[in-house]
Amino acid sequence: MEVNDPTIYAVSRAFESVWPREQERVRRSFLLLLPRGYQAGVILEPAAATEYLRNVCSRLEAEARVRAQIYSPAGWLWYFRRISREYFAGHLSTTAPADHGLAETLTGLSDKTDDMQRGFVDGAVVYPTDEIALRPVARMASLAVAMSQCHAWIRRAGKGTRFTVHVDRLPEPVGDPLLEDSIEQYDERVAEDPGGTWLQGLRSLDRSVPSMGLLLTVASLPGLWPVVPSWLGQPTDSIPAQVRGQFVFWPTSLDDLRRALDRVADDTRQWWPDALPSLVLLLQGLMYVLVRDGFHMGVGVPKVGYTTLPREGLIRALDWKLELSRGDLEAMFRGSVPRTGEEALARISEIGPVCWPFQPGPVLRAGGQQVVVDLHAATQRLVHMVTMPRDLGGDVVNVISDEFELFVQDALDRSSWRPTERMATLRGRDLKLTSKKLTDVDAIGQHGRALLLVSCKNMPHTERYAAGEYSVVRNVEQRLNEAVRQWDQVIATVRRHPVGDNYDFSAFDEILGVVVTPHVMFSRAPETTAIVKGELRKAVGLGELLRFVKSRSRLAGS
């Protein structure tokens, strides 16, 4: 049976009616937010352009903070999760979720504690859905679109773009055909690679039974309110149902991270944010709530990506889960595990909205004695928090890189490029030629008479990289170019000498080599982004590689 929510259609109709007018109002007022003292036609170098655009972002954020006080944080989320991301669609598939997510994050700036607009119909929370109620929502959405454009230009500046100043609109990129083509190619590749990345430390359900317990995480869906599987009633005695929604349950565990950290138990440095153990506890506790008493979660979470629980009941669930998980949490996050469920909730409350570099939030939105838990924001913040900064150095980073190599090989093993048993023994071994080490093989695949040798480079997509910080982007680009250059030399040597001291590739007509990173990374060097075979490039994101080999890896979105 399909469960319909009339508030979705009512909110959408009202929003669609007022959205164009509010966009025009923001466009007119936007001129007042542009920094003064710049002459039209002045060329801004990347660093100066970044400063200019950051200034505009700060002013937009201040405007959004004022307007956010119209509704409570919970009220804002109620509205925006009933507005399809398709209203924000642009020429790239990444535009809609980015702009919609930024709008939700701006609403988290609300300090409003009362929720006078809230009502109840048949036990469900409702808010007014007329055009007057939706005008502030459309205005906030328009501010988010303007800020998102600033973010896009900042990222362009981080890649080396210069900008021309205008007095009546944002600066515009200075023409540089090679650079612009490289950026456009990169943007298109990123847009085609959703969900194809390796999530550091997180394991999806399809790999094995987790030992640390499941985390209640969710994944968002594209499209205009697709039909999503759900259920009515208690999970143990439920009725299958369908709901128009934007999310699916996607439980994960931290088994991979625990295994990696166990290998470097002597390294006691704290690489994680203080709130991470509490966030893990929350998502584990919510899995317990879902299984034991998730009466409304089967429909509510797929529809809107959040759930509402009594504060005291949530604290009890966290206390219960803390008793069971304290040992595992202490082994991973020494010295920062909360002592009680109430302390955990307080720490999670500090995971707030971050407009730049963008981090969705808040995870918790207060609503009187109820707590709204935004599972979508919680999942995204979890992914960010478990990503170790590469500059941490030491063995702990090395073991995470090892995990990435194993994941890539596992994905190849699940594809039509699965190596034979004899070829598979070469993974992780040094290839030798004339008694000298030629290289080691991070991952290997074969298909017919074609051999694929993979060099894995765990270059994390950090918040500074995502923000387009020039020095960070440039450093990663140089490292990527050098990795491709070195791997090209190795592949050329193997092609000239297909038989070495401990390897024999003479049976293959093609020997292909690629450098794979967890995400698509930017490079303007044609030799780095050159095509190897089909649509496979010399430097490739994991999702691109898995699509090429048609892997059945779940994290590749297949």
Side-chain angles (χ1 to χ4, degrees):
M1 63 181 293
E2 184 170 324
V3 181
N4 292 311
D5 183 349
T7 65
I8 291 175
Y9 305 104
V11 168
S12 296
R13 282 196 302 269
F15 180 83
E16 191 168 346
S17 177
V18 301
W19 171 236
R21 292 196 300 271
E22 294 305 319
Q23 282 183 299
E24 182 57 34
R25 287 174 179 168
V26 168
R27 272 194 288 267
R28 290 199 301 267
S29 63
F30 187 67
L31 296 178
L32 302 176
L33 301 178
L34 296 178
R36 303 303 177 189
Y38 291 85
Q39 291 185 341
V42 169
I43 304 297
L44 299 178
E45 295 299 321
T50 299
E51 181 181 357
Y52 181 103
L53 294 163
R54 291 285 298 275
N55 192 337
V56 176
C57 284
S58 296
R59 298 180 183 200
L60 284 168
E61 184 174 336
E63 172 75 9
R65 185 179 294 277
V66 172
R67 296 193 173 276
Q69 310 315 314
I70 295 174
Y71 293 129
S72 69
W76 279 115
L77 192 64
W78 188 90
Y79 281 116
F80 270 100
R81 290 291 165 84
R82 283 162 173 78
I83 296 171
S84 172
R85 289 185 288 267
E86 296 303 305
Y87 286 116
F88 299 80
H91 75 285
L92 294 172
S93 61
T94 50
T95 301
D99 290 9
H100 188 273
L102 181 57
E104 290 183 351
T105 296
L106 289 174
T107 68
L109 299 172
S110 172
D111 300 317
K112 188 179 178 68
T113 55
D114 66 82
D115 214 359
M116 300 301 293
Q117 297 94 344
R118 184 175 65 173
F120 294 89
V121 174
D122 296 330
V125 173
V126 295
Y127 290 81
T129 57
D130 54 53
E131 291 186 10
I132 293 176
L134 268 295
R135 283 175 187 164
V137 179
R139 175 64 66 92
M140 187 67 81
S142 301
L143 288 171
V145 170
M147 182 180 286
S148 184
Q149 183 60 65
C150 289
H151 289 179
W153 273 185
I154 291 173
R155 290 191 293 270
R156 258 173 141 63
K159 296 176 177 68
T161 298
R162 299 186 302 157
F163 286 81
T164 303
V165 172
H166 298 278
V167 295
D168 60 346
R169 59 188 184 276
L170 282 177
E172 293 182 347
V174 174
D176 182 337
L178 177 60
L179 180 58
E180 292 303 305
D181 286 348
S182 298
I183 294 174
E184 183 176 354
Q185 179 193 88
Y186 169 77
D187 288 342
E188 290 174 351
R189 291 172 63 196
V190 170
E192 293 172 358
D193 193 27
T197 54
W198 174 62
L199 303 182
Q200 187 181 109
L202 292 178
R203 172 183 289 191
S204 61
L205 262 181
D206 70 332
R207 299 184 68 187
S208 68
V209 178
S211 63
M212 278 198 61
L214 288 172
L215 287 75
L216 184 57
T217 43
V218 299
S220 61
L221 297 172
L224 184 61
W225 294 103
V227 175
V228 183
S230 61
W231 69 82
L232 293 170
Q234 302 286 2
T236 54
D237 185 24
S238 61
I239 301 172
Q242 294 180 322
V243 64
R244 297 280 177 177
Q246 302 189 75
F247 302 92
V248 291
F249 289 106
W250 184 61
T252 52
S253 81
L254 292 178
D255 278 17
D256 288 352
L257 181 61
R258 172 66 187 274
R259 184 178 64 248
L261 294 178
D262 283 347
R263 292 170 54 191
V264 288
D266 293 337
D267 190 337
T268 59
R269 291 175 298 166
Q270 180 173 332
W271 54 267
W272 59 89
D274 287 336
L276 177 56
S278 296
L279 181 59
V280 170
L281 180 68
L282 171 70
L283 295 175
Q284 289 179 333
L286 286 174
M287 180 57 75
Y288 164 74
V289 172
L290 173 68
V291 173
R292 292 293 300 272
D293 194 31
F295 190 86
H296 300 290
M297 293 172 74
V299 168
V301 172
K303 180 174 66 178
V304 293
Y306 65 79
T307 190
T308 304
L309 298 165
R311 177 182 173 83
E312 291 305 316
L314 180 56
I315 290 175
R316 285 195 299 272
L318 294 180
D319 281 330
W320 177 86
K321 187 60 183 176
L322 188 56
E323 277 191 47
L324 297 179
S325 302
R326 184 180 298 278
D328 285 328
L329 292 173
E330 285 287 359
M332 297 176 65
F333 310 115
R334 285 185 287 269
S336 56
V337 177
R339 291 165 295 182
T340 64
E342 189 166 11
E343 182 182 335
L345 212 57
R347 292 188 188 179
I348 300 164
S349 298
E350 296 172 0
I351 306 176
V354 181
C355 298
W356 188 255
F358 172 67
Q359 289 294 323
V363 170
L364 303 180
R365 298 188 181 226
Q369 295 303 309
Q370 303 286 310
V371 177
V372 176
V373 183
D374 186 352
L375 286 164
H376 180 50
T379 299
Q380 292 180 288
R381 294 302 283 265
L382 174 71
V383 171
H384 168 71
M385 286 183 177
V386 299
T387 301
M388 293 182 188
R390 185 169 179 83
D391 55 11
L392 180 70
D395 291 340
V396 66
V397 172
N398 293 334
V399 297
I400 293 297
S401 295
D402 292 345
E403 289 293 322
F404 178 52
E405 295 172 11
L406 291 171
F407 183 87
V408 173
Q409 186 61 61
D410 179 70
L412 289 172
D413 291 345
R414 293 165 176 249
S415 76
S416 59
W417 285 73
R418 179 186 179 93
T420 64
E421 187 174 342
R422 184 172 68 86
M423 287 292 111
T425 61
L426 296 177
R427 198 217 74 80
R429 291 176 56 189
D430 293 341
L431 300 187
K432 293 185 178 181
L433 181 64
T434 62
S435 302
K436 295 179 181 178
K437 175 183 174 180
L438 175 60
T439 187
D440 58 339
V441 179
D442 296 335
I444 188 169
Q446 66 181 99
H447 183 75
R449 297 178 66 85
L451 176 69
L452 180 63
L453 300 178
V454 182
S455 174
C456 300
K457 299 297 180 185
N458 180 27
M459 298 180 182
H461 196 269
T462 63
E463 65 177 39
R464 293 173 64 193
Y465 186 88
E469 189 173 318
Y470 181 78
S471 61
V472 175
V473 174
R474 189 64 175 159
N475 178 263
V476 171
E477 181 181 5
Q478 290 172 346
R479 286 170 46 212
L480 183 63
N481 292 343
E482 179 60 18
V484 169
R485 187 190 66 80
Q486 291 181 0
W487 199 239
D488 273 352
Q489 292 178 347
V490 169
I491 298 302
T493 300
V494 171
R495 287 170 179 162
R496 289 195 305 269
H497 304 281
V499 179
D501 298 353
N502 61 344
Y503 67 90
D504 184 353
F505 300 147
S506 59
F508 296 101
D509 295 333
E510 287 184 292
I511 299 177
L512 311 175
V514 297
V515 173
V516 63
T517 53
H519 299 249
V520 174
M521 309 305 272
F522 173 76
S523 175
R524 74 198 77 194
E527 56 272 22
T528 296
T529 58
I531 296 294
V532 173
K533 184 181 179 69
E535 296 183 355
L536 189 66
R537 301 177 186 275
K538 287 186 177 181
V540 64
L542 178 59
E544 294 178 311
L545 174 64
L546 300 194
R547 281 200 305 277
F548 175 79
V549 301
K550 296 180 174 58
S551 174
R552 299 185 302 278
S553 170
R554 188 174 175 193
L555 289 186
S558 54

